Amino acid sequence: MRRVALITGGARGIGLGIARSLADENFDLALCGTRPREAVQSVCDELAETGCRVHYCRADVSDPEDRRNLLAAIRREWGALHLLVNNAGIAPRRRRDILEASEESFEEVMRVNLQGPYFLTQSVARWMIEQRGEAPDFPGCIVNISSVSATEASPNRGEYCISKAGVAMATRLWAVRLAEFDIPVYEVRPGIIATDMTSKVKETYDELIAEGLLLQSRWGRPEDVGKAVAALAGGDFPYSTGTTIIVDGGLTVRRL
């Protein structure tokens, strides 16, 4: 049986790394993002070459109507959903010291990074419970992509840090609530990953990495995160709901 995975922000960056790993594990892929379909067609074609079915839906996870339309499209396309990967996220449009940051930036980041995924999870969880009622062996799973910023304080992008700390707690809340239905919920916490989001600060991180910031002295790659998600989705951690998998090259290992 081929399973169906929904990956928000799945056509670029970390999301695309996750999509590629899940395609290799025989998942069909529902991807969403805010770009028009023609902008992601080449990515969809590439993924489809692995033999999986790929459906792209333009949707903003912070918009309730877009979330409803997204899940309705998956119901029409497959009639099932086995895996939700809450990956879509944004950085502040402008990094600003928390003494100067605006409420508008805070609200925008929270809506996309925390509020949207939280309520998308709510809708998907209800559907997964429904599916499990129809088939007791239904293999549902939810994975939240957070960031080392959930614990590492960056005062020039406080709204981002707070949003990711919220994702970490949301993971635990959903793990507790869905345990009775045997639907595991996990968090994957990436560090410095080479994506378009981090390209603007590449020189800064190049210097920090060269100075020994990481135990493994290289940028993380989207596929590093993808492999972790695939392991969780594939059932390699069956007794670990609520667990956080850290993919950061040793960034957060405390050293003397």
Side-chain angles (χ1 to χ4, degrees), residues 86 104 245:
N86 282 309
E104 291 79 10
I245 304 296

Side-chain angles (χ1 to χ4, degrees), residues 4-224:
V4 180
L6 166 58
I7 309 164
T8 65
R12 70 198 310 175
I14 288 175
L16 179 54
I18 294 168
R20 287 170 172 153
S21 291
L22 292 176
D24 289 341
E25 296 298 323
N26 297 316
F27 276 86
D28 286 332
L29 304 174
L31 311 178
C32 81
T34 56
R35 292 180 292 168
R37 181 174 182 85
E38 54 267 25
V40 302
Q41 188 60 56
S42 62
V43 168
C44 294
D45 292 344
E46 173 209 322
L47 293 168
E49 288 177 1
T50 67
C52 71
R53 288 170 58 191
V54 182
H55 180 80
Y56 178 79
C57 182
R58 189 174 186 180
D60 179 348
V61 296
S62 70
D63 185 298
E65 184 175 359
D66 277 12
R67 294 195 300 268
R68 286 191 292 270
N69 292 338
L70 172 62
L71 294 184
I74 296 170
R75 280 186 182 266
R76 289 193 300 271
E77 187 74 16
W78 285 285
L81 180 60
H82 304 88
L83 171 65
L84 167 63
V85 183
N86 282 309
N87 166 76
I90 60 171
R93 294 180 186 272
R94 179 182 172 192
R95 291 191 178 207
R96 301 179 70 178
D97 186 283
I98 56 176
L99 289 173
E100 305 296 335
S102 68
E103 287 194 41
E104 291 79 10
S105 177
F106 187 94
E107 291 171 355
E108 180 182 36
V109 171
M110 287 296 166
R111 284 196 304 272
V112 175
N113 292 6
L114 181 58
Q115 183 174 334
Y118 186 86
F119 285 102
L120 179 59
T121 297
Q122 182 187 73
S123 297
V124 169
R126 290 171 174 169
W127 186 11
M128 286 184 174
I129 292 168
E130 173 190 323
Q131 292 174 95
R132 190 160 184 84
E134 297 169 352
D137 60 347
F138 169 77
C141 179
I142 296 169
V143 180
N144 291 327
I145 308 301
S146 65
S147 167
V148 292
S149 294
T151 57
E152 306 304 298
S154 298
N156 64 344
R157 51 179 185 142
E159 58 270 73
Y160 184 81
C161 295
I162 292 171
S163 73
K164 293 303 184 178
V167 169
M169 175 51 70
T171 301
R172 287 149 185 75
L173 289 167
W174 286 113
V176 171
R177 185 63 186 90
L178 298 179
E180 68 178 279
F181 304 103
D182 198 23
I183 298 172
V185 184
Y186 306 103
E187 175 192 355
V188 174
R189 189 177 292 176
I192 302 169
I193 309 298
T195 67
D196 53 352
M197 183 184 290
T198 55
S199 63
K200 298 175 183 178
V201 289
K202 184 179 185 303
E203 290 185 6
T204 298
Y205 281 124
D206 281 345
E207 291 179 8
L208 290 171
I209 292 170
E211 292 168 0
L213 179 66
L214 309 177
L215 297 181
Q216 293 175 275
S217 187
R218 68 166 175 85
W219 280 78
R221 306 180 187 100
E223 56 263 34
D224 293 322

